[in-house]
Amino acid sequence: MTAETETAPTAGSCCSSTGSCHDGAADAPAGGVTTVYEVTGMTCGHCEGAVSEEISGLEGVTSVTAEASSGRVTVTSAAALPEEAVRAAVDEAGYELVGRA
């Protein structure tokens, strides 16, 4: 092990103890709910943006990350979202919600 992996992150740092800056802990609101969905039909950054934009418009959504390569969409919201609302948003963007991943 190197000294870098043994050192705890500095207070206020966005990096986790593994050195990752994207573990989601710094981005998630206190008490928020994170749900991962599977969406078919996304093939590029434009697709990701279209899905993200539609889901971001749902009440209570605080962040959306769509990944065309995996077909996964990670949604963080103040409370659990009705799946019908997420399905309608994905449909509006022109893609299909398979369900929770």
Side-chain angles (χ1 to χ4, degrees), residues 27-89:
D27 299 329
V33 176
T34 299
T35 309
V36 180
Y37 297 96
E38 184 177 347
V39 174
T40 60
M42 296 187 299
T43 59
C44 64
H46 178 272
C47 301
E48 294 169 346
V51 170
S52 294
E53 182 177 345
E54 289 297 331
I55 294 175
S56 291
L58 297 175
E59 186 175 340
V61 172
T62 55
S63 74
V64 179
T65 303
E67 297 176 2
S69 62
S70 66
R72 304 278 170 121
V73 179
T74 304
V75 180
T76 303
S77 54
L81 299 171
E83 190 164 316
E84 308 82 50
V86 177
R87 186 174 305 282

